[in-house]
């Protein structure tokens, strides 16, 4: 398992991707996350979380004012397990 705290500035996003083995849980500390998960958009506010199953295509972005700060837990650790999509 890995637990990482990350920060995403306003207007930024990660590359759409999936993990072959790791499932993840994103817990929002501050800000609002927009999570595209298998073609559906979820808005995840402060003190809320979202589960991403292994193999699920997803992309996190910050489309709101202010920094997005979250903790992402991955099991097993997601390092080397990421497949980026176009």
């Amino acid at each position: 398992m890995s637990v990482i705290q990350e920060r995403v500035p306003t207007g930024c996003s990660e590359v759409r991707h999936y993990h072959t083995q790791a499932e993840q849980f994103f817990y929002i500390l501050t800000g609002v996350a927009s999570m595209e998960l298998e073609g559906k958009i979820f808005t995840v506010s402060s003190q809320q979380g979202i589960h991403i199953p292994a193999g699920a295509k997803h992309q996190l972005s910050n489309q709101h004012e202010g920094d997005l700060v979250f903790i992402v837990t991955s099991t097993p650790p997601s390092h080397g397990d990421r497949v980026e999509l176009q």
Side-chain angles (χ1 to χ4, degrees):
M1 173 187 290
S2 68
V3 180
I4 300 170
Q5 181 174 321
E6 296 189 32
R7 181 185 67 82
V8 179
T10 299
C12 294
S13 66
E14 64 181 353
V15 174
R16 190 165 191 262
H17 67 280
Y18 66 92
H19 299 277
T20 59
Q21 300 292 320
E23 64 178 298
Q24 297 184 304
F25 185 78
F26 290 79
Y27 184 77
I28 308 306
L29 298 172
T30 60
V32 179
S34 295
M35 178 68 79
E36 183 270 323
L37 175 59
E38 292 291 343
K40 294 184 179 179
I41 304 295
F42 296 88
T43 300
V44 190
S45 299
S46 178
Q47 308 304 305
Q48 295 180 333
I50 187 168
H51 175 252
I52 310 296
K57 297 172 182 80
H58 61 283
Q59 181 178 22
L60 178 135
S61 64
N62 180 1
Q63 301 175 12
H64 303 280
E65 292 297 320
D67 286 351
L68 167 64
V69 180
F70 62 92
I71 293 175
V72 58
T73 303
S74 304
T75 185
S78 61
H79 306 342
D81 182 39
R82 179 176 167 137
V83 178
E84 293 188 356
L85 302 166
Q86 297 288 346

